Amino acid sequence: MDDIQVGLIGYGPAGRFFHGPLIHATPGLRLAAVVTRDPERAAEAGQRYGAAALPDAEQVFQRCDLVVVASPNRTHVPLATEALALGLPVIVDKPLAATAEEARRLVALARERDRMLTVFQNRRWDGDFRTLRALLEEGALGEVTRFESRFERWRPEPKGGWRESGGAQEIGGLLYDLGSHLIDQALELFGPVRTVYAESAARRPGVGSDDDTFVALGHESGVRSHLWMSAVAARPGPRFRVLGSAGAYVKDGLDVQEDRLRAGRTPDEPGFGEEPEGRWGEIGTAEGHRPLPTLPGAYLDFYRGVETALRAGGPPPVDPAGVVAVLRVIEAARLSAEQGTVSHLS
């Protein structure tokens, strides 16, 4: 069968280090075109993938079978809307939208046009998250009471760009960026949320969006999720600390796949998602604990799922309706941080 021709809108970090390599490594997909006006990035896309460099999205819509929206956050909804209206399936990088209502309208349009819409929530395929999900399915921790999850970094000097300097109109800040992953993982593991409490601040001079945020979720299941996202953590805490009636799982460090993609390694090479033993987490109690091998990370499975869904008509790898729930929590967290109160979700 002919390859599915993929058009990638945006060739910044998300397009260059994630979508481009993953699309290229997926059998049945071909990265045919990239939208970028940067001459160096255009040359790189052509040399590495044989992709045409196009100046605007309109030309992508005319020549590709699948559209990937990896452009600045404020463009996600208008570009996805236009592509779906033209009858094209769409992948949108997170966050899908600024609000849950905008996301619902996109989901409704995709259903109306009978076209695939999915969201690149790649952290569902992190090795540590896959390991934790397996532990929970086995009941290895007993009844879980608290889930602690962090994306903390030490970047005292702002890098600049719309993610940090832009206001609400840019849909920037860590709550939308890293929070989209942390909240998505919490909902995937422990289900719907009843209450949301958040603290959020812009700590660094010149930063216009939050760079240090904490979110506490009360799940209907009874689990409490405590989520940290920060660019000013001089000593980051553990990536995961999950407490249960039979034991705990504690894991330091981030999944290895992002660093390997940024270093130019290809995601289909042997051992790409495997983590060295020195980075494994531990399972047990204060009385005794042991290292636990981390399952291999598998970002490539997202695009393999996309290819299968388009060929066979099955479900996409990420149901966008579930991402609507993530955006509801983000909206509730923003309200909580502004008012200093607990937000309740019905």
Side-chain angles (χ1 to χ4, degrees):
M1 301 178 70
D2 292 339
D3 286 344
I4 295 168
Q5 305 298 299
V6 183
L8 174 57
I9 303 175
Y11 203 60
R16 294 174 67 200
F17 301 128
F18 288 92
H19 295 283
L22 293 170
I23 293 166
H24 184 66
T26 302
L29 300 182
R30 176 178 176 266
L31 184 56
V34 169
V35 175
T36 180
R37 292 188 175 92
D38 184 294
E40 291 185 6
R41 294 178 182 178
E44 177 191 308
Q47 182 177 7
R48 188 172 181 184
Y49 306 118
L54 303 176
D56 57 62
E58 298 300 326
Q59 295 185 45
V60 166
F61 297 151
Q62 297 170 12
R63 61 191 294 175
C64 292
D65 308 312
L66 168 66
V67 173
V68 179
V69 179
S71 45
N73 292 350
R74 60 181 168 76
T75 68
H76 287 186
V77 169
L79 287 172
T81 299
E82 186 173 0
L84 288 168
L86 290 170
L88 292 165
V90 182
I91 298 167
V92 184
D93 207 328
K94 57 78 197 167
L96 175 58
T99 68
E101 182 54 36
E102 287 181 331
R104 286 191 195 97
R105 289 198 292 266
L106 278 180
V107 172
L109 178 60
R111 289 174 178 165
E112 175 188 322
R113 302 294 297 189
D114 192 26
R115 290 296 180 269
M116 185 197 74
L117 170 66
T118 191
V119 186
F120 188 61
Q121 294 284 170
N122 60 299
R123 295 293 180 174
R124 294 188 188 185
W125 287 270
D126 276 0
D128 49 21
F129 181 72
R130 297 183 67 227
T131 302
L132 175 56
R133 189 196 287 273
L135 287 176
L136 297 179
E137 290 173 352
E138 296 165 6
L141 303 181
E143 182 180 353
V144 172
T145 54
R146 190 192 306 168
F147 171 57
E148 298 179 4
S149 178
R150 294 171 173 84
F151 277 140
E152 294 180 321
R153 294 163 175 155
W154 176 236
R155 293 176 178 170
E157 297 297 327
K159 296 167 61 177
W162 62 267
R163 292 184 186 275
E164 294 182 332
S165 60
Q169 72 277 5
E170 295 288 351
I171 321 176
L174 291 189
L175 181 57
Y176 276 111
D177 185 19
L178 302 179
S180 292
H181 289 309
L182 295 174
I183 294 167
D184 180 70
Q185 289 183 338
L187 269 60
E188 278 288 293
L189 294 176
F190 303 112
V193 167
R194 286 180 177 170
T195 60
V196 180
Y197 170 75
E199 301 169 0
S200 187
R203 304 286 188 193
R204 296 168 296 173
V207 170
S209 302
D210 68 291
D211 60 7
D212 187 27
T213 295
F214 167 74
V215 178
L217 308 179
H219 295 266
E220 293 179 5
S221 62
V223 176
R224 296 280 182 174
S225 289
H226 291 174
L227 314 175
W228 289 263
M229 55 220 77
S230 179
V232 292
R235 292 290 300 273
R239 173 67 186 91
F240 287 131
R241 190 171 80 122
V242 190
L243 306 179
S245 60
Y249 175 62
V250 181
K251 175 72 172 65
D252 289 312
L254 296 176
D255 179 87
V256 298
Q257 295 174 94
E258 177 175 350
D259 283 347
R260 290 174 179 174
L261 287 169
R262 287 179 177 271
R265 292 180 60 179
T266 56
D268 56 348
E269 69 181 59
F272 173 80
E274 294 178 5
E275 188 174 69
E277 183 175 349
R279 297 182 58 154
W280 292 352
E282 293 185 337
I283 185 172
T285 68
E287 298 170 350
H289 45 81
R290 61 178 174 83
L292 181 71
T294 304
L295 292 175
Y299 288 170
L300 199 54
D301 282 359
F302 174 85
Y303 271 102
R304 287 171 174 160
V306 166
E307 197 272 344
T308 298
L310 292 176
R311 298 285 190 193
V318 173
D319 183 351
V323 179
V324 173
V326 173
L327 289 166
R328 287 192 68 210
V329 173
I330 288 176
E331 289 181 276
R334 293 180 65 199
L335 182 64
S336 172
E338 290 170 4
Q339 299 183 348
T341 59
V342 176
S343 297
H344 295 265
L345 298 180
S346 56

